[in-house]
Amino acid sequence: MKPPSEKSAGRRKSRPSFEPLQPHEIELADFFVRMAGILGVPRSVAEIYSLLYVSSGPLDFDHIQGRLGMSKGSVSQGLKFLRDHEMILSVKEKGARRERWQPTPSLAASLVALLRSQVLPALEQAQPSLQRVLADVQKLGAQPEVIERLSRLNRWNSRALELAPLLLPPPGA
Amino acid sequence: MKPPSEKSAGRRKSRPSFEPLQPHEIELADFFVRMAGILGVPRSVAEIYSLLYVSSGPLDFDHIQGRLGMSKGSVSQGLKFLRDHEMILSVKEKGARRERWQPTPSLAASLVALLRSQVLPALEQAQPSLQRVLADVQKLGAQPEVIERLSRLNRWNSRALELAPLLLPPPGA
DNA sequence: GCGTAGGTTCAAAAATTATTGAAACATCAG
DNA sequence: CTGATGTTTCAATAATTTTTGAACCTACGC
């Protein structure tokens, strides 16, 4: 009636079976999940990062999947996201097949990269759009009040684009 | 067979019928919707703000609903959100029944209020949590590396809380 | 090459979040 | 008060986002 005990001897090619998360691991994950939420980063990604963050050494794919109890797909996509945003590093041991992951040394740098990737494209895309809108309302003879608002918005956007490289320096700078 | 022409004479208590959005209004809305998306603000809220932003005078409830073609519920909730975050002001004309809305003078201040409301509570809630996690891993005798990471996270959080009032000053400061 | 460990992709399912609209509530003019 | 206008609430629905898992690549050791 009971399933074969997980730790019991019969270890053929047993699926490894991982420890469930400890209370402190869960609490930290909650923290990261909340913060990630503000930036629109999905829960599973935050959970992966959090786990790597409290773990002593780098973890491989199966460990992550096992301890978090999440699907292969999610782990793969989550690691991709974290890689793309330079939030984790792989530690390749020579002669080893699988990659093992750990957080990059600086969480600050990671957050900057994340912000960059969200904000910069939006600002860049906005530029021509805002200029068109301003031109339109001028042509249509809108109230000075509205023209003033839109001018200010335009100036803001331009300045943000100029400042961005300083506040959110690209990786190699 | 055809519905009574909207502009035609028969104006009993005709539902007012509003102009569809102009191209430039749509383009600006796209901009605001995108920006709002970064902060997790719903589309309908961004659309309302955008409309008020390009409009010459303050608009009332029905105007907003009519021009954006959105439900009463959405307009009500959207205005509530914008009010709560001090992004719009109502202009009460004496003797008038309905309220009319316009954006607050400073979009910058609005954004600060918005950030505040998202980030501050998260930081405050995190404080005790992070301290517990740190205490736990110390008690459990984790690697110095992990303890160091969590200490830094704690320090960060504390400093962010200290700095918050400066960077994100509360309304009356 | 061949087989397989290791990982990715992506369509379908689940979970979450936003919107709607009808009923309830509030407030003001008469 | 009363009735109409103006607004909010909230359960139901729709839209969107996230997760899953099975099929599919890919590269390496043999």
Side-chain angles (χ1 to χ4, degrees):
Chain A
M1 244 354 178
K2 72 181 172 200
S5 162
E6 309 213 15
K7 280 194 175 168
S8 72
R11 65 163 58 81
R12 4 185 96 274
K13 190 180 233 173
S14 67
R15 69 196 80 171
S17 103
F18 297 93
E19 281 193 7
L21 294 182
Q22 304 281 317
H24 70 273
E25 290 173 318
I26 293 174
E27 191 153 24
L28 188 68
D30 285 349
F31 165 77
F32 276 113
V33 167
R34 223 188 294 280
M35 292 302 180
I38 293 176
L39 293 172
V41 173
R43 151 180 301 267
S44 64
V45 173
E47 285 178 355
I48 294 173
Y49 185 84
S50 181
L51 178 60
L52 297 179
Y53 202 84
V54 273
S55 295
S56 290
L59 301 185
D60 67 32
F61 196 107
D62 287 354
H63 251 78
I64 296 170
Q65 187 188 352
R67 298 235 35 229
L68 294 175
M70 88 181 27
S71 69
K72 271 184 154 208
S74 286
V75 174
S76 176
Q77 289 178 187
L79 288 175
K80 178 173 185 356
F81 180 99
L82 292 168
R83 249 185 280 128
D84 289 351
H85 292 285
E86 309 172 64
M87 302 183 73
I88 58 175
L89 292 170
S90 94
V91 179
K92 286 202 183 226
E93 294 195 11
K94 56 183 177 186
R97 195 73 178 284
R98 26 182 59 207
E99 304 211 76
R100 302 169 72 223
W101 301 94
Q102 64 181 42
T104 46
S106 166
L107 173 53
S110 300
L111 289 182
V112 166
L114 194 51
L115 265 182
R116 252 187 89 71
S117 72
Q118 300 235 320
V119 175
L120 261 192
L123 289 181
E124 277 160 10
Q125 239 221 312
Q127 186 92 303
S129 214
L130 287 179
Q131 281 169 7
R132 262 195 305 278
V133 173
L134 177 55
D136 279 3
V137 297
Q138 280 174 328
K139 192 165 301 168
L140 293 171
Q143 299 287 345
E145 185 191 3
V146 172
I147 293 180
E148 170 57 21
R149 270 185 213 145
L150 287 169
S151 302
R152 231 177 322 154
L153 199 54
N154 261 292
R155 282 198 296 277
W156 261 55
N157 188 75
S158 302
R159 291 190 51 210
L161 270 173
E162 288 164 21
L163 260 57
L166 295 173
L167 298 180
L168 305 175
Chain B
M1 246 356 181
K2 71 178 172 199
S5 162
E6 309 213 16
K7 280 193 177 169
S8 71
R11 63 165 60 82
R12 6 185 95 271
K13 190 177 239 173
S14 67
R15 69 195 80 174
S17 104
F18 298 93
E19 280 193 8
L21 294 182
Q22 303 282 317
H24 71 273
E25 291 173 317
I26 293 174
E27 190 153 24
L28 189 68
D30 285 350
F31 165 77
F32 276 113
V33 167
R34 224 189 293 281
M35 291 303 179
I38 294 176
L39 293 171
V41 173
R43 150 179 300 268
S44 62
V45 172
E47 285 178 354
I48 293 172
Y49 185 84
S50 180
L51 178 61
L52 298 179
Y53 202 86
V54 273
S55 295
S56 289
L59 301 185
D60 67 30
F61 197 105
D62 287 353
H63 251 78
I64 297 169
Q65 187 188 352
R67 297 233 38 226
L68 294 176
M70 95 183 20
S71 69
K72 275 180 161 217
S74 286
V75 174
S76 176
Q77 289 178 188
L79 289 175
K80 179 175 184 355
F81 180 99
L82 292 169
R83 248 184 282 129
D84 289 352
H85 293 284
E86 309 172 63
M87 302 183 74
I88 59 175
L89 292 171
S90 93
V91 179
K92 285 200 184 227
E93 295 195 8
K94 56 183 176 184
R97 195 74 179 281
R98 23 182 61 206
E99 304 211 76
R100 302 169 71 224
W101 301 95
Q102 66 181 38
T104 47
S106 167
L107 174 53
S110 300
L111 289 181
V112 166
L114 194 53
L115 265 182
R116 251 187 90 70
S117 73
Q118 300 236 320
V119 175
L120 261 193
L123 288 181
E124 277 160 9
Q125 240 222 311
Q127 186 92 302
S129 215
L130 288 179
Q131 281 169 7
R132 264 196 304 279
V133 173
L134 176 56
D136 279 5
V137 297
Q138 280 174 326
K139 192 165 297 167
L140 293 171
Q143 299 288 343
E145 185 192 3
V146 172
I147 293 180
E148 170 56 21
R149 268 185 214 147
L150 288 170
S151 302
R152 231 175 324 152
L153 199 54
N154 261 291
R155 282 198 296 278
W156 261 55
N157 188 74
S158 302
R159 290 190 51 211
L161 270 174
E162 287 164 22
L163 260 56
L166 296 173
L167 298 181
L168 307 174

